[in-house]
Amino acid sequence: MNKNFFKILAAGTIAILFSFTFIQKKTKLYIIGDSTAANKEEKAYPETGWGMALQSYFKADVTVDNRALNGRSTKSFRAEKRWDPILAELNPGDYVFIEFGHNDEKVDKPAVGVSLADFKINLVNYVKETRSKKAFPVLLTPISRRSFKNGVLMDSHGDYPRITRQVADSLNVPLIDMLVKTESLLNRLGEEPSIKLFNYVDSGNVNYPNGKKDNTHLSPEGAKQVAGLVVKGIKELKLNLMKSLK
């Protein structure tokens, strides 16, 4: 009887250890950034952030925790204490995908906009603090707006993407150049066909009675395709996350 008891106890202990190991293998992928990635309320539909579509590309061992928010910049995201709880929760092996730039460039809004020098400092701080928790930062340049002029796609982000690339290079941080990837996508589709990727809504919509022509924020289709470009970047960088892709 004693032998059976110890066998059962040993088996139970092993099962618990295996369960604990399985739980420990789960990875969180945090997204911090602005409205182009953010989760949207029902009243904003069909506007969709690319972060909402990212989970569908992963198996169950990766959880996408999308903390991106409308209107935020590297400055306001921290000032509003949005970063603090993420940093507190970070575990070794987690990832933080950092995509800012859309609002940092709004220097006419002091609570949000930042100079290029401050943008650089802010990105460096996010990277170093992420690494202090033995987690992995990944920098992303901002996605392109649908800003065609006479059939030519125009850049609307100034030098902010360049600073993101510079920080990635100087600190040896993996970079997914979303500006380049989305510009390529928009140019490939062309001015009119690319409308389907953005929040264009006819009048009479329950959320947009007067219609909407938004060349910054994405449609469900746009969010899916842009999330797919993020996944492409993960593969190109050969991040460990690649093992968890479907």
Side-chain angles (χ1 to χ4, degrees), residues 3-237:
K3 286 183 179 180
N4 288 337
F5 171 77
F6 283 115
K7 283 180 181 178
I8 293 168
L9 180 62
T13 302
I14 290 169
I16 290 169
L17 288 173
F18 271 114
S19 297
F20 182 73
T21 301
F22 177 76
I23 291 168
Q24 288 297 95
K25 284 182 179 177
K26 289 185 74 71
T27 300
K28 266 201 174 184
L29 190 169
Y30 293 90
I31 301 170
I32 64 172
D34 52 48
S35 58
T36 58
N39 292 334
K40 306 296 178 180
E41 296 181 22
E42 191 175 333
K43 65 182 180 182
Y45 186 83
E47 183 182 322
T48 309
W50 64 259
M52 298 171 70
L54 193 60
Q55 183 69 66
S56 65
Y57 287 92
F58 284 100
K59 299 172 187 173
D61 58 335
V62 169
T63 300
V64 175
D65 191 337
N66 186 10
R67 304 289 182 95
L69 288 164
N70 288 16
R72 270 56 174 201
S73 65
T74 55
K75 178 180 181 178
S76 62
F77 195 85
R78 183 184 293 273
E80 295 176 7
K81 308 296 183 186
R82 306 288 183 176
W83 173 239
D84 292 352
I86 299 171
L87 188 60
E89 293 169 12
L90 271 180
N91 288 311
D94 286 343
Y95 283 79
V96 181
F97 279 32
I98 305 162
E99 185 198 40
F100 287 103
H102 268 89
N103 300 304
D104 296 81
E105 63 198 44
K106 297 175 181 177
V107 291
D108 57 322
K109 298 181 178 180
V112 177
V114 294
S115 67
L116 291 172
D118 285 341
F119 182 63
K120 182 177 181 178
I121 291 169
N122 293 344
L123 288 179
V124 167
N125 287 337
Y126 284 122
V127 166
K128 288 185 174 180
E129 289 167 18
T130 298
R131 284 176 167 170
S132 75
K133 301 299 290 282
K134 293 182 169 51
F136 302 113
V138 178
L139 287 169
L140 291 78
T141 52
I143 69 171
S144 178
R145 295 184 176 94
R146 184 181 164 277
S147 50
F148 284 92
K149 185 176 181 181
N150 298 322
V152 178
L153 184 64
M154 309 299 291
D155 172 51
S156 65
H157 292 304
D159 281 331
Y160 290 85
R162 177 180 63 80
I163 295 297
T164 304
R165 296 179 191 115
Q166 191 180 94
V167 171
D169 183 60
S170 63
L171 296 181
N172 196 26
V173 183
L175 172 76
I176 302 177
D177 202 331
M178 293 303 295
L179 180 59
V180 169
K181 290 183 182 301
T182 50
E183 283 179 340
S184 176
L185 174 61
L186 294 179
N187 279 319
R188 189 166 67 250
L189 289 173
E191 184 171 1
E192 290 304 312
S194 63
I195 286 174
K196 68 181 180 181
L197 302 182
F198 290 84
N199 192 31
Y200 269 58
V201 185
D202 292 333
S203 60
N205 181 280
V206 63
N207 290 331
Y208 304 96
N210 299 318
K212 183 82 171 179
K213 292 182 179 180
D214 183 344
N215 291 307
T216 296
H217 301 102
L218 301 167
S219 65
E221 174 62 21
K224 182 179 178 181
Q225 290 205 37
V226 171
L229 294 177
V230 174
V231 168
K232 184 179 179 183
I234 290 170
K235 292 176 179 177
E236 290 167 348
L237 291 168

